[in-house]
Amino acid sequence: GTPVVASDIMANREVAGLLEKITLLPLSYSAERWADAIERILGEPVSHASRRSAFERFEQSPFNMICHVDLMLTLWGVK
């Protein structure tokens, strides 16, 4: 998939557990450390096949839109 640099919070950890090329950094890191991490991933090649594979894994995960809508409807007692 597309390389990502994200904050090291629980929600991002869950997604990082499903997909490759996700770099998690603590919020306490300096802007320079974040910039270094971003510069590193900008140099990594990303193939179409890698992106397609990541998309397919994401679609099969609990983070897709259908699962989200279903959860929200259940949460709010509409379903």
Side-chain angles (χ1 to χ4, degrees):
T2 301
V4 172
V5 174
S7 56
D8 187 9
I9 62 172
M10 182 54 85
N12 292 339
R13 283 185 213 136
E14 289 183 54
V15 174
L18 295 172
L19 301 174
E20 300 170 357
K21 299 189 179 207
I22 297 179
T23 301
L24 300 177
L25 298 177
L27 292 171
S28 61
Y29 274 15
S30 68
E32 291 79 19
R33 288 185 81 174
W34 279 81
D36 289 343
I38 292 168
E39 285 179 355
R40 265 194 318 278
I41 69 166
L42 286 176
E44 296 178 6
V46 179
S47 69
H48 177 73
S50 173
R51 285 188 176 157
R52 185 73 191 155
S53 175
F55 175 78
E56 289 169 359
R57 283 194 312 273
F58 195 81
E59 279 296 299
Q60 298 301 317
S61 79
F63 303 110
N64 69 53
M65 188 56 69
I66 292 170
C67 288
H68 176 73
V69 169
D70 187 51
L71 178 65
M72 290 297 106
L73 291 174
T74 301
L75 177 68
W76 292 102
V78 178
K79 183 174 176 184

